[in-house]
Amino acid sequence: MIRFAPVTEVNSVEIIGHRGASFDAPENTLASFRLAFDQCADGIEFDIRLSKDGQIVVIHDPDTKRVAGIDRAVADQTLDQLRALDVGRWKGAEYPRERIPTLAEALAIIPAGKRAYVEVKCGPESVPELKRVIAAAKLSREQVIVISFSADVVSAVKKRLPVVPAYWVVRLRDDAGTNWTADALVAAARAMNADGLDLSADPMITRELVEVASAAGLPVYVWTVNDAAMARSLIAAGVSGIATDRPGWLRETLGW
């Protein structure tokens, strides 16, 4: 039974299940998504890629080695081949028959009042099929948010699906040594027509940064937070949402 937490000014920051309740269940599976909602998550985040035959499937890695033991690219497998894989057993014996979901299946289990944050792991070529699947889903406009590290993907989503929010995912300290400032983040987000920012958890996320982004109409979300002190710091900074592998634990720890 899904238990809905009351929304108050105290706990208005969204708690989002990162790949579902991925600490407890196999990531990016329907079991993980359902468990996240059982743990009172306000939404779930999951990753999508295109199969060989152009279907959108829910999986993080570019191949199936880690979650299914088959070292083969997702893009080189058809939907039927991907659906034949067991992606639950690696997590525990209690998940012996979990399959890679399609995007349509994932969206079909989003409860009323809850959200799906859909991270596009491939390129803009996925956007036409993404548009078709989202349009066919029985969800309100506010329930699906597309997120991506790729500026090209964000721009393509805003061109093809202008009513769907699209957030730019950013690692604040990247491998090239870039440390993003608030003004630079806003300028880059505006250039791609992004509707929000999804930032890596970092002490750089201060109230000042969040206020600059908010003044530009860009809500700030943060990934992936499994530390209570970091969560409290981000809440104090004014972020709109926090993605965590442990939504139930985080809500309980915060006293929400």
Side-chain angles (χ1 to χ4, degrees):
M1 179 178 180
I2 297 173
R3 302 180 300 277
F4 293 96
V7 176
T8 70
E9 290 184 1
V10 175
N11 64 358
S12 59
V13 176
E14 291 178 59
I15 294 180
I16 301 157
H18 178 246
R19 307 180 197 172
S22 56
F23 181 84
D24 299 305
E27 65 178 57
N28 283 329
T29 63
L30 297 183
S32 187
F33 302 156
R34 290 189 175 106
L35 182 58
F37 290 125
D38 283 346
Q39 294 181 0
C40 297
D42 298 301
I44 55 171
E45 179 271 353
F46 55 83
D47 309 282
I48 62 168
R49 294 182 178 275
L50 279 177
S51 67
K52 184 178 181 179
D53 48 351
Q55 302 299 303
I56 297 182
V57 293
V58 180
I59 187 170
H60 177 272
D61 297 357
D63 58 61
T64 53
K65 182 178 181 180
R66 181 172 61 89
V67 295
I70 305 298
D71 191 5
R72 189 178 182 190
V74 173
D76 291 339
Q77 301 180 67
T78 65
L79 177 60
D80 286 346
Q81 289 172 318
L82 292 166
R83 296 282 282 174
L85 302 177
D86 184 327
V87 293
R89 194 178 297 274
W90 70 274
K91 187 69 173 181
E94 67 270 36
Y95 297 104
R97 289 178 295 277
E98 285 299 315
R99 304 300 171 187
I100 295 174
T102 63
L103 174 60
E105 289 172 330
L107 295 181
I109 66 168
I110 306 299
K114 304 290 184 173
R115 292 185 176 182
Y117 292 82
V118 182
E119 181 172 350
V120 180
K121 285 293 189 184
C122 44
E125 70 278 1
S126 63
V127 174
E129 179 65 4
L130 181 66
K131 179 180 180 179
R132 186 192 70 79
V133 176
I134 292 176
K138 296 179 180 179
L139 296 172
S140 68
R141 182 181 299 179
E142 297 78 19
Q143 285 185 273
V144 181
I145 296 91
V146 177
I147 65 176
S148 180
F149 279 98
S150 167
D152 290 340
V153 168
V154 173
S155 294
V157 168
K158 295 312 299 179
K159 288 178 182 177
R160 297 292 296 267
L161 297 87
V163 300
V164 174
Y167 295 176
W168 181 37
V169 185
V170 185
R171 188 180 298 277
L172 287 176
R173 305 174 199 255
D174 63 23
D175 294 338
T178 302
N179 291 341
W180 286 93
T181 65
D183 289 340
L185 286 168
V186 168
R190 281 176 167 166
M192 66 185 81
N193 293 318
D195 299 299
L197 296 170
D198 193 3
L199 308 179
S200 57
D202 194 291
M204 291 173 62
I205 301 174
T206 61
R207 177 164 288 277
E208 180 182 8
L209 183 150
V210 174
E211 287 177 349
V212 169
S214 297
L218 300 169
V220 175
Y221 287 72
V222 184
W223 53 274
T224 302
V225 182
N226 297 314
D227 177 84
M230 173 62 77
R232 291 189 178 97
S233 174
L234 293 166
I235 292 166
V239 302
S240 296
I242 296 172
T244 175
D245 298 327
R246 308 176 68 188
W249 167 85
L250 183 57
R251 187 175 291 281
E252 182 178 359
T253 300
L254 294 171
W256 292 0

